[in-house]
mmCIF file with all atom_site columns, all heavy atoms in Angstrom:
data_model
loop_
_atom_site.group_PDB
_atom_site.id
_atom_site.type_symbol
_atom_site.label_atom_id
_atom_site.label_alt_id
_atom_site.label_comp_id
_atom_site.label_asym_id
_atom_site.label_entity_id
_atom_site.label_seq_id
_atom_site.pdbx_PDB_ins_code
_atom_site.Cartn_x
_atom_site.Cartn_y
_atom_site.Cartn_z
_atom_site.occupancy
_atom_site.B_iso_or_equiv
_atom_site.pdbx_formal_charge
_atom_site.auth_seq_id
_atom_site.auth_comp_id
_atom_site.auth_asym_id
_atom_site.auth_atom_id
_atom_site.pdbx_PDB_model_num
ATOM 1  N N   . ASP Z 1 6  ? -46.493 -3.062 26.259  1.00 0.00 ? 352 ASP Z N   1
ATOM 2  C CA  . ASP Z 1 6  ? -45.102 -2.725 26.424  1.00 0.00 ? 352 ASP Z CA  1
ATOM 3  C C   . ASP Z 1 6  ? -44.201 -3.441 25.501  1.00 0.00 ? 352 ASP Z C   1
ATOM 4  O O   . ASP Z 1 6  ? -43.318 -2.985 24.808  1.00 0.00 ? 352 ASP Z O   1
ATOM 5  C CB  . ASP Z 1 6  ? -44.603 -2.804 27.817  1.00 0.00 ? 352 ASP Z CB  1
ATOM 6  C CG  . ASP Z 1 6  ? -45.149 -1.790 28.790  1.00 0.00 ? 352 ASP Z CG  1
ATOM 7  O OD1 . ASP Z 1 6  ? -45.547 -0.746 28.303  1.00 0.00 ? 352 ASP Z OD1 1
ATOM 8  O OD2 . ASP Z 1 6  ? -45.111 -2.051 30.046  1.00 0.00 ? 352 ASP Z OD2 1
ATOM 9  N N   . GLN Z 1 13 ? -40.519 -0.546 18.077  1.00 0.00 ? 359 GLN Z N   1
ATOM 10 C CA  . GLN Z 1 13 ? -39.382 0.469  18.155  1.00 0.00 ? 359 GLN Z CA  1
ATOM 11 C C   . GLN Z 1 13 ? -38.133 -0.220 17.635  1.00 0.00 ? 359 GLN Z C   1
ATOM 12 O O   . GLN Z 1 13 ? -37.388 0.370  16.855  1.00 0.00 ? 359 GLN Z O   1
ATOM 13 C CB  . GLN Z 1 13 ? -39.176 0.922  19.639  1.00 0.00 ? 359 GLN Z CB  1
ATOM 14 C CG  . GLN Z 1 13 ? -38.064 1.917  19.789  1.00 0.00 ? 359 GLN Z CG  1
ATOM 15 C CD  . GLN Z 1 13 ? -38.408 3.221  18.887  1.00 0.00 ? 359 GLN Z CD  1
ATOM 16 O OE1 . GLN Z 1 13 ? -39.501 3.707  18.997  1.00 0.00 ? 359 GLN Z OE1 1
ATOM 17 N NE2 . GLN Z 1 13 ? -37.499 3.801  18.319  1.00 0.00 ? 359 GLN Z NE2 1
ATOM 18 N N   . THR Z 1 17 ? -36.081 0.995  14.410  1.00 0.00 ? 363 THR Z N   1
ATOM 19 C CA  . THR Z 1 17 ? -34.618 1.125  14.474  1.00 0.00 ? 363 THR Z CA  1
ATOM 20 C C   . THR Z 1 17 ? -33.908 0.342  13.371  1.00 0.00 ? 363 THR Z C   1
ATOM 21 O O   . THR Z 1 17 ? -33.015 0.830  12.593  1.00 0.00 ? 363 THR Z O   1
ATOM 22 C CB  . THR Z 1 17 ? -34.089 0.812  15.846  1.00 0.00 ? 363 THR Z CB  1
ATOM 23 O OG1 . THR Z 1 17 ? -34.715 1.686  16.790  1.00 0.00 ? 363 THR Z OG1 1
ATOM 24 C CG2 . THR Z 1 17 ? -32.551 0.956  15.961  1.00 0.00 ? 363 THR Z CG2 1
ATOM 25 N N   . GLN Z 1 18 ? -34.306 -0.869 13.190  1.00 0.00 ? 364 GLN Z N   1
ATOM 26 C CA  . GLN Z 1 18 ? -33.668 -1.754 12.124  1.00 0.00 ? 364 GLN Z CA  1
ATOM 27 C C   . GLN Z 1 18 ? -33.976 -1.196 10.820  1.00 0.00 ? 364 GLN Z C   1
ATOM 28 O O   . GLN Z 1 18 ? -33.081 -1.212 9.975   1.00 0.00 ? 364 GLN Z O   1
ATOM 29 C CB  . GLN Z 1 18 ? -34.146 -3.298 12.240  1.00 0.00 ? 364 GLN Z CB  1
ATOM 30 C CG  . GLN Z 1 18 ? -33.650 -3.918 13.520  1.00 0.00 ? 364 GLN Z CG  1
ATOM 31 C CD  . GLN Z 1 18 ? -34.242 -5.241 13.729  1.00 0.00 ? 364 GLN Z CD  1
ATOM 32 O OE1 . GLN Z 1 18 ? -35.265 -5.575 13.153  1.00 0.00 ? 364 GLN Z OE1 1
ATOM 33 N NE2 . GLN Z 1 18 ? -33.709 -6.025 14.516  1.00 0.00 ? 364 GLN Z NE2 1
ATOM 34 N N   . ILE Z 1 23 ? -31.966 1.677  5.895   1.00 0.00 ? 369 ILE Z N   1
ATOM 35 C CA  . ILE Z 1 23 ? -32.054 2.783  4.933   1.00 0.00 ? 369 ILE Z CA  1
ATOM 36 C C   . ILE Z 1 23 ? -30.798 3.485  4.963   1.00 0.00 ? 369 ILE Z C   1
ATOM 37 O O   . ILE Z 1 23 ? -30.202 3.913  3.905   1.00 0.00 ? 369 ILE Z O   1
ATOM 38 C CB  . ILE Z 1 23 ? -33.243 3.739  5.393   1.00 0.00 ? 369 ILE Z CB  1
ATOM 39 C CG1 . ILE Z 1 23 ? -34.566 3.162  5.031   1.00 0.00 ? 369 ILE Z CG1 1
ATOM 40 C CG2 . ILE Z 1 23 ? -33.167 5.081  4.769   1.00 0.00 ? 369 ILE Z CG2 1
ATOM 41 C CD1 . ILE Z 1 23 ? -35.796 3.845  5.553   1.00 0.00 ? 369 ILE Z CD1 1
ATOM 42 N N   . GLY Z 1 40 ? -13.974 7.064  -11.471 1.00 0.00 ? 386 GLY Z N   1
ATOM 43 C CA  . GLY Z 1 40 ? -13.704 6.403  -12.657 1.00 0.00 ? 386 GLY Z CA  1
ATOM 44 C C   . GLY Z 1 40 ? -13.858 7.455  -13.836 1.00 0.00 ? 386 GLY Z C   1
ATOM 45 O O   . GLY Z 1 40 ? -13.074 7.401  -14.743 1.00 0.00 ? 386 GLY Z O   1
ATOM 46 N N   . TYR Z 1 43 ? -10.841 9.814  -13.816 1.00 0.00 ? 389 TYR Z N   1
ATOM 47 C CA  . TYR Z 1 43 ? -9.631  9.124  -14.312 1.00 0.00 ? 389 TYR Z CA  1
ATOM 48 C C   . TYR Z 1 43 ? -9.790  8.983  -15.902 1.00 0.00 ? 389 TYR Z C   1
ATOM 49 O O   . TYR Z 1 43 ? -8.789  9.147  -16.535 1.00 0.00 ? 389 TYR Z O   1
ATOM 50 C CB  . TYR Z 1 43 ? -9.553  7.719  -13.654 1.00 0.00 ? 389 TYR Z CB  1
ATOM 51 C CG  . TYR Z 1 43 ? -8.297  6.984  -14.092 1.00 0.00 ? 389 TYR Z CG  1
ATOM 52 C CD1 . TYR Z 1 43 ? -7.034  7.333  -13.733 1.00 0.00 ? 389 TYR Z CD1 1
ATOM 53 C CD2 . TYR Z 1 43 ? -8.500  5.876  -15.027 1.00 0.00 ? 389 TYR Z CD2 1
ATOM 54 C CE1 . TYR Z 1 43 ? -5.916  6.577  -14.209 1.00 0.00 ? 389 TYR Z CE1 1
ATOM 55 C CE2 . TYR Z 1 43 ? -7.404  5.195  -15.544 1.00 0.00 ? 389 TYR Z CE2 1
ATOM 56 C CZ  . TYR Z 1 43 ? -6.094  5.543  -15.070 1.00 0.00 ? 389 TYR Z CZ  1
ATOM 57 O OH  . TYR Z 1 43 ? -4.996  4.870  -15.596 1.00 0.00 ? 389 TYR Z OH  1
ATOM 58 N N   . LEU Z 1 60 ? -10.667 10.999 -5.697  1.00 0.00 ? 406 LEU Z N   1
ATOM 59 C CA  . LEU Z 1 60 ? -10.044 9.974  -4.892  1.00 0.00 ? 406 LEU Z CA  1
ATOM 60 C C   . LEU Z 1 60 ? -10.146 10.358 -3.409  1.00 0.00 ? 406 LEU Z C   1
ATOM 61 O O   . LEU Z 1 60 ? -10.434 9.609  -2.622  1.00 0.00 ? 406 LEU Z O   1
ATOM 62 C CB  . LEU Z 1 60 ? -8.579  9.834  -5.256  1.00 0.00 ? 406 LEU Z CB  1
ATOM 63 C CG  . LEU Z 1 60 ? -7.818  8.768  -4.503  1.00 0.00 ? 406 LEU Z CG  1
ATOM 64 C CD1 . LEU Z 1 60 ? -8.553  7.373  -4.615  1.00 0.00 ? 406 LEU Z CD1 1
ATOM 65 C CD2 . LEU Z 1 60 ? -6.381  8.617  -4.979  1.00 0.00 ? 406 LEU Z CD2 1
ATOM 66 N N   . ASP Z 1 72 ? -15.578 0.162  3.627   1.00 0.00 ? 418 ASP Z N   1
ATOM 67 C CA  . ASP Z 1 72 ? -15.472 -0.046 2.195   1.00 0.00 ? 418 ASP Z CA  1
ATOM 68 C C   . ASP Z 1 72 ? -16.375 -1.253 1.725   1.00 0.00 ? 418 ASP Z C   1
ATOM 69 O O   . ASP Z 1 72 ? -16.162 -1.833 0.766   1.00 0.00 ? 418 ASP Z O   1
ATOM 70 C CB  . ASP Z 1 72 ? -14.050 -0.315 1.783   1.00 0.00 ? 418 ASP Z CB  1
ATOM 71 C CG  . ASP Z 1 72 ? -13.535 -1.661 2.397   1.00 0.00 ? 418 ASP Z CG  1
ATOM 72 O OD1 . ASP Z 1 72 ? -14.135 -2.253 3.294   1.00 0.00 ? 418 ASP Z OD1 1
ATOM 73 O OD2 . ASP Z 1 72 ? -12.398 -1.973 2.069   1.00 0.00 ? 418 ASP Z OD2 1
ATOM 74 N N   . HIS Z 1 76 ? -17.308 -4.251 -1.939  1.00 0.00 ? 422 HIS Z N   1
ATOM 75 C CA  . HIS Z 1 76 ? -17.371 -5.782 -2.015  1.00 0.00 ? 422 HIS Z CA  1
ATOM 76 C C   . HIS Z 1 76 ? -18.695 -6.319 -2.306  1.00 0.00 ? 422 HIS Z C   1
ATOM 77 O O   . HIS Z 1 76 ? -18.859 -7.438 -2.116  1.00 0.00 ? 422 HIS Z O   1
ATOM 78 C CB  . HIS Z 1 76 ? -16.862 -6.332 -0.604  1.00 0.00 ? 422 HIS Z CB  1
ATOM 79 C CG  . HIS Z 1 76 ? -15.554 -5.637 -0.189  1.00 0.00 ? 422 HIS Z CG  1
ATOM 80 N ND1 . HIS Z 1 76 ? -14.339 -5.958 -0.788  1.00 0.00 ? 422 HIS Z ND1 1
ATOM 81 C CD2 . HIS Z 1 76 ? -15.183 -4.749 0.770   1.00 0.00 ? 422 HIS Z CD2 1
ATOM 82 C CE1 . HIS Z 1 76 ? -13.387 -5.255 -0.288  1.00 0.00 ? 422 HIS Z CE1 1
ATOM 83 N NE2 . HIS Z 1 76 ? -13.849 -4.539 0.641   1.00 0.00 ? 422 HIS Z NE2 1
#
Side-chain angles (χ1 to χ4, degrees):
D352 289 340
Q359 187 61 43
T363 300
Q364 289 172 343
I369 288 171
Y389 178 76
L406 180 59
D418 66 353
H422 308 291

